[in-house]
Amino acid sequence: MALTPVIKEVALKKQYPFMYEHFVLATQTDLYLFLEKNGPTVEAIRFGFAVAKYGHPNDEVRGGHPLFKHGLGFYGLYEVTNSPWIDEVKISNRVHPQHSDSLFDRDRHFIACFKDVTLEVICTEMEEVQLAEIEILAIVTTELQYLEA
């Protein structure tokens, strides 16, 4: 029997508006949610991630999100305990011959709610980071090199 999801807003080191100004950069191992630029420094959240969803719902229909009735708010970053999405991924992974439910013990489910989009991430770690523009360009450059034949 599945446990009831519990949602709590994540207290970040700084209060961000969680409205329009943000963007996402994903590699095969990390997802960056860029939130604010101060001079040459960009403040972001880095997720060591496994799965992500980005887009629907916006704030006008967020009340239709299945976790809204469990406390998901309109704007901000939230963590879901007893995540039905992690359970769904775990169950679908059971077809693998070396599957073990314990592989998912460290997984965490975060939801970032903005005006026009929602970002959901299943990850093993989440941290607030500050990156210089040059570091972001280095990430993109490294990923582009993987595309070369």
Side-chain angles (χ1 to χ4, degrees):
M1 185 171 145
L3 299 173
T4 301
V6 176
I7 298 179
K8 293 189 178 171
E9 188 164 9
V10 176
L12 298 170
K13 295 175 189 171
K14 182 176 179 179
Q15 199 161 8
Y16 298 98
F18 280 89
M19 287 297 281
Y20 297 107
E21 293 76 23
H22 74 282
F23 76 94
V24 171
L25 173 65
T27 70
Q28 289 189 24
T29 58
D30 294 305
L31 184 142
Y32 294 89
L33 172 58
F34 297 106
L35 294 168
E36 189 172 278
K37 186 172 184 293
N38 296 309
T41 303
V42 178
E43 297 187 36
I45 300 172
R46 185 191 69 79
F47 300 94
F49 90 107
V51 186
K53 300 178 197 178
Y54 184 72
H56 181 78
N58 65 11
D59 65 343
E60 294 171 343
V61 296
R62 192 152 297 125
H65 190 289
L67 294 174
F68 188 78
K69 64 185 175 191
H70 297 287
L72 182 63
F74 281 93
Y75 308 104
L77 180 66
Y78 302 86
E79 184 168 9
V80 182
T81 305
N82 304 328
S83 167
W85 189 27
I86 292 174
D87 288 343
E88 176 187 322
V89 172
K90 183 189 311 181
I91 290 166
S92 70
N93 195 67
R94 287 181 180 153
V95 299
H96 193 285
Q98 295 176 342
H99 169 83
S100 170
D101 281 358
S102 66
L103 294 170
F104 298 85
D105 288 350
R106 292 181 50 230
D107 284 357
R108 298 169 71 188
H109 179 184
F110 291 93
I111 304 175
C113 298
F114 296 92
K115 172 122 182 84
D116 293 327
V117 296
T118 299
L119 169 67
E120 294 196 53
V121 179
I122 293 175
C123 62
T124 54
E125 57 185 273
M126 182 277 290
E127 67 175 334
E128 293 177 72
V129 295
Q130 292 184 334
L131 299 167
E133 288 180 47
I134 191 114
E135 291 174 292
I136 297 167
L137 292 173
I139 293 167
V140 172
T141 299
T142 298
E143 294 303 314
L144 287 173
Q145 289 172 352
Y146 294 136
L147 299 177
E148 296 175 357

